[in-house]
Amino acid sequence: MHTSSELFFDLSPCGQLILETNGRIKAVNATFCNLAGYSKSDLVGEQNFYDLVLKPVRIYLETQIFPLLLIQGSVDAVALDIQKSGDGAIPALINFSLEHDVEESESLILV
């Protein structure tokens, strides 16, 4: 049985991901999977967020966005393309937020 917060996350009208601080995908909602053409099993624990963007975007994330995220705790309105499963890309406007999970004693990146 799903809790209301799990349902809210999974059925949210926008795609959402939860990343470990190294970029590995820890959770993804159904909306993101439907938009990008992936299944949850393709992504969770298997892929890194960097794998979903083109190489120039990866460099931008590594050198500009994630260092700023560590300093500020959030970075808003980053425009980039997400690679779809197969061919094509989805233009996206993304907000990043660094949160600390007290239960698991780790920091997570909400996308």
Side-chain angles (χ1 to χ4, degrees), residues 98-111:
L98 185 64
E99 301 294 331
H100 187 69
D101 185 344
V102 177
E103 291 178 11
E104 296 191 26
S105 293
E106 67 179 337
S107 293
L108 300 170
I109 300 171
L110 307 180
V111 180

Side-chain angles (χ1 to χ4, degrees), residues 7-49:
L7 283 173
F8 177 77
F9 172 77
D10 204 40
L11 301 176
S12 174
C14 30
Q16 298 181 21
L17 297 98
I18 300 174
L19 311 176
E20 297 172 2
T21 54
N22 64 2
R24 177 137 331 260
I25 298 171
K26 186 168 182 162
V28 61
N29 72 352
T31 305
F32 181 87
C33 291
N34 291 335
L35 288 170
Y38 295 98
S39 70
K40 286 185 182 186
S41 62
D42 290 338
L43 299 174
V44 176
E46 299 296 321
Q47 296 285 332
N48 192 295
F49 185 70

Side-chain angles (χ1 to χ4, degrees), residues 37-88:
Y38 295 98
S39 70
K40 286 185 182 186
S41 62
D42 290 338
L43 299 174
V44 176
E46 299 296 321
Q47 296 285 332
N48 192 295
F49 185 70
Y50 296 130
D51 299 329
L52 302 179
V53 297
L54 297 174
K55 191 168 189 170
V57 175
R58 179 181 180 150
I59 293 168
Y60 177 64
L61 290 171
E62 288 178 337
T63 62
Q64 303 295 315
I65 300 303
F66 286 150
L68 190 58
L69 178 62
L70 294 174
I71 294 168
Q72 292 182 173
S74 67
V75 179
D76 296 329
V78 178
L80 53 87
D81 289 337
I82 301 290
Q83 289 295 118
K84 290 180 73 172
S85 177
D87 291 333

